[in-house]
Amino acid sequence: MNRVRRPVVSLVEYARTAPEKERDDAGGEGAATERKGSKKTAAVEVVAPADVEVIANLTGCKVTIRIEATELREGARHTETGDYLITTFPEERYKVTWLDSAAIYGGTYLVGPRWAISAEPTVLEPLRAKVGGTVRRLRDSHATTAP
């Protein structure tokens, strides 16, 4: 896969400067239409694309790639505030399957289109401000959205 490296930028800056096709692909099918029809501000509606390195750059870090497979890519990051894993998927269905499997173990995840970040809740909230997504608590094989 040919990856384009970009300097670290905010999500709002990324949304403003990334090629339109790349922005539209970031949210999956229909995301571009939803964004164009939305009355929310750019800072609220922008969500990171499904690329480990781009998400890592948006969080202000570099990751160590742990898994490089057909179904997913996973990068690990160790920080003073806590460790986290960034996992991306080539298709939404792989993410759904991965989350269903993760529910057996429970935990809290920051979830976006074709990506998930695994960490303690205190680490996820600051990351959410940088990359978007939804915080989800998983337990007993049923995913629930956190309030």
Side-chain angles (χ1 to χ4, degrees), residues 69-89:
T70 304
E71 302 84 10
L72 62 87
R73 289 185 77 230
E74 184 174 85
R77 175 67 180 148
H78 304 288
T79 68
E80 290 181 15
T81 57
D83 300 339
Y84 57 96
L85 298 174
I86 301 169
T87 309
T88 61
F89 308 90

Side-chain angles (χ1 to χ4, degrees), residues 51-73:
D51 183 284
V52 172
E53 290 82 5
V54 170
I55 294 170
N57 283 337
L58 291 169
T59 65
C61 75
K62 292 184 180 184
V63 294
T64 302
I65 299 297
R66 292 178 5 145
I67 299 172
E68 182 97 38
T70 304
E71 302 84 10
L72 62 87
R73 289 185 77 230

Side-chain angles (χ1 to χ4, degrees), residues 103-123:
I104 295 168
Y105 305 102
T108 305
Y109 301 82
L110 181 58
V111 180
R114 297 186 358 234
W115 58 262
I117 298 176
S118 313
E120 294 296 321
T122 56
V123 175

Side-chain angles (χ1 to χ4, degrees), residues 10-47:
S10 71
L11 274 174
V12 174
E13 181 68 12
Y14 176 82
R16 190 176 64 74
T17 60
E20 186 173 342
K21 168 128 178 54
E22 189 173 317
R23 287 191 313 261
D24 290 350
D25 288 348
E29 293 182 24
T33 305
E34 290 175 21
R35 284 193 297 264
K36 289 174 185 171
S38 174
K39 295 182 181 180
K40 296 179 181 178
T41 64
V44 173
E45 66 187 62
V46 178
V47 178

